[in-house]
Amino acid sequence: MSLAGLFPIDKWNFKSASILNNLPGDEYAYLCSNMLEQRYSKGEVIFREGGAASGIFFVKKGKVKKYKVDKAGKEQIIYVANAGELIGYHAILADERYPDSAATLEESLIAFIPKEDFLGALEKSTVLPRRLLKTLSHEFTVLTNSISVFAQRSVKERLAITLIVLREKFKAETLPGEEIMINISRSDLANMVGTGNENIVRFLTEFKAAGVLTTLGKKICINDIRELIKLSGCGNE
């Protein structure tokens, strides 16, 4: 079921999947000339906050969480990247160290593009700079909205919003006719919502009792997206 007209998904979900799509052949070839692919196990760290930015990463398969860690060691997940998206490019553009960490949520295939190749392609391309500028502008809008609105929402509403966004993420890799299964640990879900595991378990149980969703192990299936949108308090914003 499409969220069009029901929920403003673009206010909550940004993606960089379009950055490399249909680049001129020579530009794409230059960008990928020294690309190295690597398979990552679930939970494996790709880069850490504060690490020297030596290149960007292209998610070819799987899902990656971007997160920050507070002084107590607790994660705050900022974003989940899908296959086709780029991560790590903010640090290269700013000529700074990685501002956050990234780790796989599931077994993934990640391609590494060296910093020199990315910057070289950026200089040669007439398309890539415009796409990056558009993507960065949209990401800023989404993050600003997330910070301001999440601060005013209850844990239940934040969980509902997060489940809606995750449903769209997992929908991208679900075959037509199949149920969309959100496959994420309760701790990662708690770190996205910004609460404790006990609250996540309590509200998931409440949503399940109301028929909004069903669970199979750690997998979550949304049965009533319209009701979930009502619970989020964001319908038709």
Side-chain angles (χ1 to χ4, degrees):
M1 178 181 179
S2 171
L3 295 180
L6 299 175
F7 183 85
I9 188 64
D10 288 342
K11 291 177 64 175
W12 302 97
N13 186 34
F14 58 78
K15 58 184 180 179
S16 60
S18 62
I19 292 179
L20 300 185
N21 285 351
N22 301 314
L23 279 179
D26 58 334
E27 295 179 9
Y28 186 80
Y30 180 88
L31 182 66
C32 301
S33 57
N34 296 304
M35 178 187 285
L36 297 174
E37 292 186 358
Q38 181 177 339
R39 293 194 177 276
Y40 288 79
S41 301
K42 177 183 175 182
E44 195 169 348
V45 174
I46 300 167
F47 57 80
R48 293 188 186 277
E49 180 178 355
S54 56
I56 66 172
F57 297 84
F58 177 42
V59 184
K60 303 198 80 171
K61 182 181 179 182
K63 289 180 176 59
V64 173
K65 63 179 178 181
K66 293 182 65 182
Y67 62 95
K68 295 182 76 70
V69 180
D70 63 21
K71 293 181 179 179
K74 182 175 177 57
E75 290 182 9
Q76 176 62 58
I77 296 177
I78 304 166
Y79 180 66
V80 173
N82 258 9
E85 298 191 52
L86 292 177
I87 57 174
Y89 62 94
H90 302 80
I92 302 299
L93 293 174
D95 194 21
E96 297 176 349
R97 292 178 177 271
Y98 292 119
D100 48 29
S101 301
T104 55
L105 283 173
E106 59 189 30
E107 185 177 325
S108 302
L109 178 64
I110 314 289
F112 173 76
I113 300 173
K115 175 180 179 178
E116 295 75 16
D117 292 351
F118 177 62
L119 293 177
L122 201 57
E123 289 181 2
K124 295 175 182 294
S125 177
T126 58
V127 178
L128 195 55
R130 292 198 300 270
R131 289 185 179 178
L132 282 170
L133 183 59
K134 182 178 180 180
T135 299
L136 288 167
S137 298
H138 180 58
E139 288 183 8
F140 178 78
T141 300
V142 170
L143 288 173
T144 301
N145 178 69
S146 297
I147 292 170
S148 61
V149 176
F150 258 49
Q152 303 169 29
R153 301 283 180 180
S154 67
V155 173
K156 181 188 288 189
E157 289 173 324
R158 298 203 306 268
L159 174 58
I161 292 168
T162 300
L163 289 173
I164 293 167
V165 173
L166 284 173
R167 177 182 176 273
E168 288 300 292
K169 287 288 180 183
F170 283 88
K171 178 181 178 181
E173 297 176 3
T174 303
L175 296 175
E178 290 186 355
E179 289 188 333
I180 303 168
M181 303 298 291
I182 301 170
N183 189 7
I184 190 168
S185 70
R186 299 300 179 258
S187 59
D188 278 334
L189 189 54
N191 290 337
M192 289 188 73
V193 175
T195 189
N197 287 17
E198 64 280 359
N199 284 331
I200 294 298
V201 172
R202 177 162 59 91
F203 285 122
L204 285 179
T205 301
E206 182 179 316
F207 290 176
K208 187 175 180 180
V212 175
L213 56 81
T214 53
T215 59
L216 179 62
K218 69 176 182 178
K219 294 181 180 179
I220 300 169
C221 179
I222 308 301
N223 298 328
D224 192 339
I225 188 63
R226 291 180 182 274
E227 185 60 29
L228 190 61
I229 291 171
K230 287 181 183 179
L231 291 169
S232 76
C234 296
N236 296 314
E237 283 192 354

